[in-house]
Amino acid sequence: MLGAALTCGWTASATAQVQPAAAIEAWLASEHTSKQRMAETVKAVCDADDGLAALGRMQKEVQDEPDAPRSKGIRSLMVQVTLEHLRRTRKSGMTFVGQYRGLEALQPWVTPFLFELLLETPEWYPYTFRVRLVPAIRDLQVRLPAGDRVAAVTAVADDEREPTDLRRALAAMLWQWGKRAQAEAQVRELQLATTEGDAQDRVDATLALADYYNLLRDYKRAAGAHRAAQALARGADVELRPIAWYAAACVHALRGDKERGIAALQRCAELHSSPYLDRSLRLERKLFERDPEIALLREDARFAELVKKAFGDQSSGDQSSGDKSAGDKSAGRGGR
């Protein structure tokens, strides 16, 4: 009776009360044609702590009866749930190693699906979104995959017609798998840029280099690049943005260097406290409160005062989104 009731009368407003397993069954009992019902089911699965696990447990049906209507419904739901999970994670405003591991509940299906989107991109998936797949693949495919996949990723990373951000992200993934030639070439290109142009250009290039070392998870060299950018900025009277200091704090914290991390976060808070700071340069309070990369700094007794200095007494819900865009832990650039 529950399944029949859901199939006939389930609305978006009722989604919050529906358990993910019941929502999935309601979708599978339908004709699999309603976009609204699909959206409601995806929301129910993604909103629940155990939603991905509930869906993942249904993969055996797909393996046992791949051509059955229920199996087709499960596959279509897994596709949409994965895309929504990627969207929500990217929109969270935080980037950290392991943030896509929740998708492990959809293994063994999900990693091949992500590789397919990346390397055999269907017409319905935007080409410009391919770079967004790379962090998830890195979290799920930690070790070197099969040779054909490595070859295909390498071909895209080597293709100068491809977007630079995609090529650099793929080079970082190859670096993670022990294939370092592409990333080393990207590093050399970024290092060269730090010697060109005026002081502002060199600061920007050095921050870009720090960003890339961070993407490679080489936090020692990332920390060194941040210190170099800060020294260059001081000498050239260039003011770094709050996000540049926040990114430096993250790198120092990841290295276990609490003092340098607190010092960088202190400078970030000082800049952020200015009433004259442009709204587009403001950060979200939730970064200070929840970002796993500065967990070490939150343990320090000075941290609470830094948060208060940066944001006053407002709560996380009292402010709008800032410059630290979702899915991009970049250091930002100095302002002219």
Side-chain angles (χ1 to χ4, degrees):
M1 290 298 292
L2 176 60
L6 290 173
T7 302
C8 296
W10 187 22
T11 64
S13 62
T15 305
Q17 286 76 45
V18 178
Q19 294 298 312
I24 294 168
E25 287 299 332
W27 163 252
L28 296 177
S30 73
E31 296 295 324
H32 308 161
T33 58
S34 170
K35 292 182 179 180
Q36 179 181 346
R37 181 169 284 122
M38 169 64 89
E40 292 168 347
T41 308
V42 169
K43 184 177 188 304
V45 172
C46 292
D47 283 353
D49 291 340
D50 60 343
L52 289 172
L55 181 58
R57 287 193 291 269
M58 306 191 80
Q59 289 190 71
K60 190 175 186 305
E61 291 188 47
V62 179
Q63 296 166 357
D64 293 344
E65 298 183 84
D67 297 324
R70 278 180 61 89
S71 296
K72 294 177 181 178
I74 293 168
R75 281 197 297 270
S76 65
L77 186 57
M78 287 196 296
V79 167
Q80 296 304 319
V81 164
T82 299
L83 295 176
E84 176 64 7
H85 186 84
L86 293 175
R87 187 193 70 80
R88 290 188 181 196
T89 304
R90 186 173 187 276
K91 191 179 178 181
S92 71
M94 287 178 276
T95 57
F96 54 90
V97 176
Q99 70 181 132
Y100 291 92
R101 286 180 188 152
L103 287 172
E104 288 179 344
L106 299 183
Q107 296 284 39
W109 171 86
V110 70
T111 297
F113 171 66
L114 294 175
F115 270 114
E116 180 181 348
L117 289 184
L118 175 67
L119 302 171
E120 302 172 37
T121 312
E123 291 184 1
W124 56 263
Y125 191 77
Y127 245 48
T128 55
F129 284 15
R130 289 176 296 161
V131 68
R132 302 180 184 185
L133 302 168
V134 180
I137 296 175
R138 291 185 71 181
D139 279 348
L140 298 171
Q141 185 71 57
V142 177
R143 296 180 178 82
L144 186 71
D148 57 342
R149 286 182 180 165
V150 175
V153 169
T154 301
V156 178
D158 286 340
D159 190 343
E160 294 184 358
R161 298 169 298 178
E162 294 285 2
T164 299
D165 61 345
L166 176 62
R167 294 181 64 210
R168 286 180 176 167
L170 293 178
M173 184 161 67
L174 288 166
W175 173 284
Q176 175 179 316
W177 296 338
K179 306 290 185 179
R180 302 202 163 190
Q182 286 72 24
E184 288 171 349
Q186 294 291 343
V187 167
R188 287 193 295 272
E189 182 179 318
L190 288 164
Q191 288 174 331
L192 179 61
T194 67
T195 67
E196 300 174 339
D198 60 18
Q200 176 72 65
D201 294 331
R202 295 196 300 276
V203 170
D204 290 350
T206 306
L207 288 173
L209 180 61
D211 290 345
Y212 198 62
Y213 283 140
N214 188 42
L215 190 64
L216 295 178
R217 301 171 187 174
D218 187 340
Y219 303 123
K220 180 178 180 179
R221 288 202 289 178
H226 275 293
R227 292 196 297 272
Q230 291 158 15
L232 181 57
R234 282 194 301 271
D237 197 26
V238 172
E239 184 67 84
L240 298 180
R241 296 175 178 179
I243 188 61
W245 291 102
Y246 182 85
C250 289
V251 168
H252 292 313
L254 288 168
R255 292 200 67 222
D257 191 340
K258 182 183 290 187
E259 289 307 312
R260 280 199 172 107
I262 288 290
L265 206 60
Q266 172 71 35
R267 184 60 184 140
C268 174
E270 290 170 354
L271 293 172
H272 206 267
S273 66
S274 171
Y276 304 107
L277 181 68
D278 189 275
R279 180 170 179 164
S280 67
L281 303 181
R282 295 191 176 277
L283 309 181
E284 293 186 82
R285 182 174 180 139
K286 70 178 180 180
L287 293 175
F288 282 62
E289 296 175 340
R290 305 177 198 170
D291 192 342
E293 293 198 338
I294 60 167
L296 177 70
L297 307 185
R298 281 195 289 273
E299 298 172 358
D300 193 278
R302 295 166 287 183
F303 184 79
E305 284 301 314
L306 292 181
V307 176
K308 186 174 181 180
K309 185 175 189 62
F311 301 99
D313 295 324
Q314 66 188 37
S315 66
S316 298
D318 293 337
Q319 59 176 124
S320 60
S321 177
D323 185 61
K324 186 172 183 291
S325 59
D328 181 16
K329 175 89 73 174
S330 63
R333 307 290 174 254
R336 292 191 182 273

